[in-house]
Amino acid sequence: MDMIVTERRDEADGVVALTLARTDGGELPAWAPGAHVDVHLADGLVRQYSLCGDPAGRTRWRLGVLREPVSRGGSEFVFDKVHGGDIVTVGEPRNHFALEPAARYVFVAGGIGITPILPMIAAAEASGAEWTLLYGGRTRRSMAFVDELAAHGDRVTIAPQDEVGLLDLTGLLATPRRGALVYACGPEPMLCAVDSFMAGWPSGSLRVERFAPKTLENTGAEGFEVEFAASGVTAVVPPDRSILTVAEEAGIAALWSCREGTCGTCETPLLAGRAEHRDSMLTAEEQADQNTIFICVSRAEQGCPRLTLDL
């Protein structure tokens, strides 16, 4: 849908917040904490940004955008070309980082990873759940929405690295908390550290969202067959091609955006076979269920000769 930028605001060094509204002034689709949207930029660029405003506000969306030091073109375009009054095309909200009901929450954010956490905090507060936030960044000046978070008092710990060093994850996560869920979003080293410190927590306690694909071991790709059941097509996926690429070559319309397993656009129901999940979104439990597959990166499990997909 076409949306107008009603406000562009500098939130920190290298971070801007864009407020968007429909060009016709109409109501926007509903969304829940953890959702993100595709923003269509110039020359076919599509980037995903978390919604970080109020889900109850049905006429405005807010996005936080970090200017990446090594930009692939998306954040550079937003910073240099998108201003108040401009029109941008935005997709429907999608959510692979949903806030599940819990009595207690531990939120951990690094840098621009604060954006999906903001509406989660508001939802936790509204539900009466206990919660804390540990929020790290390079410097205080680089950390967005700090003033907004100040209203929550000592439930929020602001931890700029140049002032306090690395996040104190030992003190935060060394002891499992009964009935608590941990939500973490930020750079990969931080997420790996959170995961390692939670080794003693009950399975399923951690939820993460990545802005870049996680690093995986090279397991040695094999070729396999894929049946696109809804299209009546069967094709071979060789070791050097993705299911998505093979689908496109067969003339099958498949939605995609990132091609790196982080956005969720290409999610496809898995009807038969076992997938080697190489995305950066599914939990271990969701991977074990074998109900869905992200066809831009995931493949057939070694030894599985054929997958059947609802595509």
Side-chain angles (χ1 to χ4, degrees):
M1 76 193 92
D2 286 339
M3 302 187 71
I4 186 169
V5 180
T6 61
E7 182 183 17
R8 170 178 162 145
R9 175 186 172 91
D10 292 329
E11 288 293 345
D13 287 350
V15 180
V16 296
L18 303 179
T19 302
L20 309 174
R22 280 179 47 159
T23 54
D24 62 4
E27 193 172 82
L28 291 164
W31 62 280
H36 68 265
V37 293
D38 290 341
V39 179
H40 298 257
L41 305 170
D43 300 323
L45 285 175
V46 181
R47 295 292 181 264
Q48 294 75 42
Y49 297 108
S50 296
L51 291 165
C52 59
D54 179 6
R58 297 296 299 276
T59 61
R60 294 288 187 274
W61 282 349
R62 184 176 68 168
L63 312 176
V65 182
L66 168 70
R67 183 161 204 160
E68 298 283 356
V70 184
S71 174
R72 294 176 299 162
S75 68
E76 184 177 87
F77 184 90
V78 170
F79 271 77
D80 294 343
K81 304 294 184 182
V82 178
H83 302 283
D86 288 347
I87 305 298
V88 294
T89 300
V90 182
E92 297 277 333
R94 296 195 306 275
N95 200 338
H96 293 281
F97 192 44
L99 185 70
E100 299 179 13
R104 299 175 182 84
Y105 297 100
V106 178
F107 299 114
V108 185
I112 199 62
I114 190 62
T115 50
I117 300 296
L118 289 174
M120 291 185 177
I121 288 173
E125 185 85 350
S127 72
E130 297 178 15
W131 65 269
T132 61
L133 166 67
L134 178 59
Y135 176 22
R138 292 179 292 103
T139 67
R140 192 175 295 269
R141 288 172 58 87
S142 72
M143 298 171 68
F145 307 109
V146 168
D147 292 343
E148 189 172 312
L149 290 165
H152 297 294
D154 60 7
R155 282 176 294 182
V156 173
T157 300
I158 304 297
Q161 187 173 351
D162 66 336
E163 297 178 20
V164 301
L166 297 177
L167 295 179
D168 180 15
L169 296 176
T170 305
L172 183 68
L173 301 172
T175 303
R177 305 187 190 186
R178 184 181 299 274
L181 293 179
V182 179
Y183 280 78
C185 185
E188 186 64 15
M190 185 200 83
L191 297 179
C192 290
V194 169
D195 187 45
S196 66
F197 277 107
M198 291 187 63
W201 287 60
S203 176
S205 298
L206 176 62
R207 306 286 189 275
V208 302
E209 182 172 62
R210 289 175 164 86
F211 293 138
K214 61 185 177 183
T215 302
L216 296 172
E217 293 182 7
N218 186 355
T219 57
E222 298 177 347
F224 57 94
E225 277 192 343
V226 60
E227 178 188 355
F228 300 104
S231 303
V233 174
T234 299
V236 173
V237 181
D240 62 344
R241 292 179 185 267
S242 68
I243 299 172
L244 173 59
T245 299
V246 169
E248 292 174 327
E249 291 172 348
I252 297 169
L255 297 176
W256 64 272
S257 177
C258 73
R259 287 188 180 266
E260 58 184 19
T262 58
C263 76
T265 305
C266 70
E267 183 175 10
T268 302
L270 175 60
L271 304 180
R274 293 190 60 82
E276 178 190 323
H277 294 288
R278 301 185 65 82
D279 65 272
S280 299
M281 292 171 293
L282 295 178
T283 65
E285 291 79 10
E286 290 168 336
Q287 290 181 354
D289 287 341
Q290 294 284 344
N291 291 327
T292 191
I293 184 172
F294 295 91
I295 61 173
C296 68
V297 291
S298 296
R299 306 183 61 80
E301 199 174 75
Q302 287 194 6
C304 175
R306 183 184 180 99
L307 298 179
T308 303
L309 309 182
D310 187 11
L311 186 64

